[in-house]
Amino acid sequence: MVRFRIAWILLLIFSSITARSAVNPDYWGGHESMKSLRFVPESLLIDMQLNGKADYFMVLANQADFSESANRQNRISRGDQIFHLLRLEAESTQPMIIDDLSLCGAVIQRFHIQNMILVRDGTPDMLIQAANHHLVSEIRANPAYDFVNEQPESTVKPEVEGSPEWHLTHIGIPDIWNAGFTGETIVVANLDTGVDWTHPALQSKYRGWDGMTATHDYNWHATTSSWVCPYPAVPCDFDEFVSGGHGTHTMGTIVGHDGHGNRIGGAPGAQWIACGPLVDAAGFHECFEWFLAPYRYGETPAQGIPAMAPHVINNSWGLPVGGGDYRYAPDIDALHAAGIFTVFAAGNEGDNCRTLRSPGDYPQVLTVGASDSQNRIVSAFWAGWGSSRGPAHSNIPGAPDFIKPEITAPGHNIRSSLAGGGYASWGGTSMAAPVVTSVVALLWSAAPDLIGDIEATRQLVLNNSFTAPGGAGYHNQTCQGINANNTSPNHVWGWGLIDAYASYDGLTGVYLDKPAYKPDDEMIIRVLDSGAQGTVTVQIKSTIEQEWEILNLTEVASGHYQGTFLTTSGPPQHGDGAVSVEHGSIITVWYQAKDATATAMAD
């Protein structure tokens, strides 16, 4: 039997302090003084008693309201507006509390993804002042995290040189490639241990690489808390010397292809960026903030550029076992409002119910369980680890009345890249989540109008999942009164096994390459319709040229039809091969065969 290491989910767990004593009221000035500290986590109070100082967050009562911004059609303008609102709230409130509190000797880090301030090495006096300040609604600890990457053994099946890996063919990803879509125009990211950017399967996909030189600005961010990257301005993988590179492995499953025989990634036409490695809670917030508006090494978050944000973020991590930690919800809500999709691994603590990790137990995110090549939900009984089951922890709003995980993907014996240039087959929901991330990248590449529509994308994936009896993670188990043997969706494998090609086929309709065009511009128009033959016809008009113009699209791949049409600032002239527009005009493209429309603005 060939021995190799299978990576479990990146287990990020609190570095707990052994409590040598309970909270001592005398240390804090007596029981009366303790009343102001009743909402401070006990672990933080004990930590400060033992060490005389500790890190903590001051979460401010005033938080930005960006609910209306999420309705903007243009994803870039949404990102700009949300970034502006978050910055405005932080800038208008944080200076007041900084001026009011005595923070001499403390290092502070300001955040806007949530309106809060991190105090590093804060003293008891600082903490008492913060807990009593009228602008502070919550005090949180900043727990450190330890990487635990357990490696059970398994057998490795021979790989066929040049063939896509089994996890890609199993869910129909090569069929999407054959239709002409490999993830072009989409930027994916991971929040992980980092990435070995020079890996042969990854370097050409890195947004910072032009084939000759590297530009890491806006493409890589090493967290402030991190000390493990020797050159923080250059991507590294913290896990390289621990177990081979967890972040490099997950990124390979999303985009990896070395141009030769190693076809490991589902969206090889996409580009990637990354943030990490993760050291403490502040690092998670910092990465979420950077993803919303990346900034250059040495700059501040206020200098971020939302237009450089990724489209999809893979998160193959979670904490704690059993979930229930809702602290990252505002960060994720901001990302979603900006049109950035988030995918989270469920965890590897099954087979019991209620074993999810946070944020994988949040209703906002798409959570992924793991299955094998026989469509079995991975079980500790035969794999040594089990895909975590729902429902979500009662601390999560709405739980347990929503399904978790929602989807299952291949996550057992997944061959991908390792830091240092190698490859290995690992398993875990850490490996399943990147498969789903790659599918989202493919769908958004094929259907630009879908970009930024988080809920429509979720429903497309869930509604087209594979749910045949005996498959799709079949398991005779009951969680929250729902038996996975006979009811779908359920808390074992959600709606089913992700079916990439069925989701793509569900895109039938007409799509434009941009949400807005300039006058005298070129529009790329696509129709996706697997039932059509030969050529297909679309009709085009604008709010100032009401008579339909006609365009015939040619088939560029099976079921994929494409053509170009011009916008013009001239007067309407029917049949001239262009549609007349002016600033603010709405352009409508109609595919009659499916009664499907796409719209864009002239701007």
Side-chain angles (χ1 to χ4, degrees), residues 189-255:
N190 74 4
L191 201 172
D192 214 301
T193 60
V195 181
D196 174 7
W197 78 275
T198 61
H199 193 287
L202 298 178
Q203 184 169 351
S204 65
K205 320 297 178 184
Y206 178 45
R207 191 173 69 179
W209 177 249
D210 65 4
M212 296 183 65
T213 59
T215 303
H216 303 303
D217 290 340
Y218 306 109
N219 302 313
W220 160 253
H221 181 72
T223 57
T224 304
S225 307
S226 172
W227 53 268
V228 296
C229 287
Y231 306 102
V234 179
C236 77
D237 193 332
F238 157 76
D239 194 41
E240 177 176 0
F241 303 108
V242 179
S243 60
H246 188 277
T248 302
H249 198 280
T250 60
M251 190 62 81
T253 303
I254 306 172
V255 300

Side-chain angles (χ1 to χ4, degrees), residues 318-340:
L319 59 118
V321 176
D325 184 348
Y326 205 53
R327 80 180 69 193
Y328 301 106
D331 306 49
I332 293 166
D333 289 343
L335 292 168
H336 285 186
I340 301 170

Side-chain angles (χ1 to χ4, degrees), residues 473-542:
Y474 169 82
H475 195 282
N476 187 17
Q477 182 176 354
T478 297
C479 291
Q480 194 64 24
I482 303 174
N483 187 272
N485 182 30
N486 51 38
T487 304
S488 175
N490 56 69
H491 292 291
V492 177
W493 41 266
W495 270 258
L497 174 70
I498 192 168
D499 188 328
Y501 189 76
S503 298
Y504 164 78
D505 203 34
L507 290 171
T508 295
V510 59
Y511 299 94
L512 302 176
D513 65 319
K514 292 187 291 188
Y517 298 93
K518 300 175 183 177
D520 305 309
D521 203 352
E522 183 179 82
M523 305 165 57
I524 299 177
I525 302 171
R526 296 172 178 165
V527 162
L528 302 179
D529 186 355
S530 59
Q533 295 182 347
T535 61
V536 300
T537 300
V538 296
Q539 301 178 63
I540 308 157
K541 68 177 181 180
S542 76

